[in-house]
Amino acid sequence: MTNRTITRTDLVGALHKAVGLSQTDCTDLLEGVLNEITNALVAGEKVKISNFASFYTKHKKARTGRNVTTGEEAPITPRTVVIFRPSLVMKAKINGVGD
């Protein structure tokens, strides 16, 4: 397994190679998709991309946490987090099932 990180530039390059659009058009396409996903999550909507994953937000309440090193209590503020749930198809591919 490698520690390589896929960047936006890598995704744009893959789109360019697969679809044949210009780099600029591929950049605009990728940015548009990412913006749609982000805007939907900000609006509290669930995003489901079939055979890939679902994204949704979850609201977490305020609570008291504890510093593991010192044992000191610290307040944790309420916040909204993004949850990523891979599809069964993605899980199977990652685990090498059905190759």
Side-chain angles (χ1 to χ4, degrees):
M1 185 176 285
T2 66
N3 287 333
R4 185 170 182 278
T5 300
I6 302 295
T7 64
R8 286 177 189 238
T9 304
D10 296 329
L11 293 173
V12 168
L15 273 172
H16 173 67
K17 206 183 282 187
V19 180
L21 295 173
S22 70
Q23 292 278 7
T24 304
D25 289 343
C26 289
T27 300
D28 292 344
L29 178 64
L30 179 61
E31 290 300 321
V33 169
L34 295 176
N35 285 335
E36 285 296 317
I37 292 171
T38 302
N39 292 339
L41 291 171
V42 167
E45 299 173 17
K46 185 174 181 180
V47 176
K48 182 177 180 181
I49 303 172
S50 296
N51 297 329
F52 180 69
S54 294
F55 302 87
Y56 60 95
T57 57
K58 182 177 180 181
H59 302 287
K60 294 197 167 196
K61 296 178 182 177
R63 61 188 174 92
T64 301
R66 190 173 300 277
N67 183 319
V68 179
T69 307
T70 64
E72 183 179 325
E73 288 187 354
I76 298 174
T77 58
R79 64 200 184 283
T80 301
V81 296
V82 176
I83 307 294
F84 169 83
R85 295 222 34 197
S87 71
L88 294 176
V89 173
M90 177 187 269
K91 286 181 184 179
K93 285 183 180 182
I94 289 171
N95 291 310
V97 177
D99 286 340

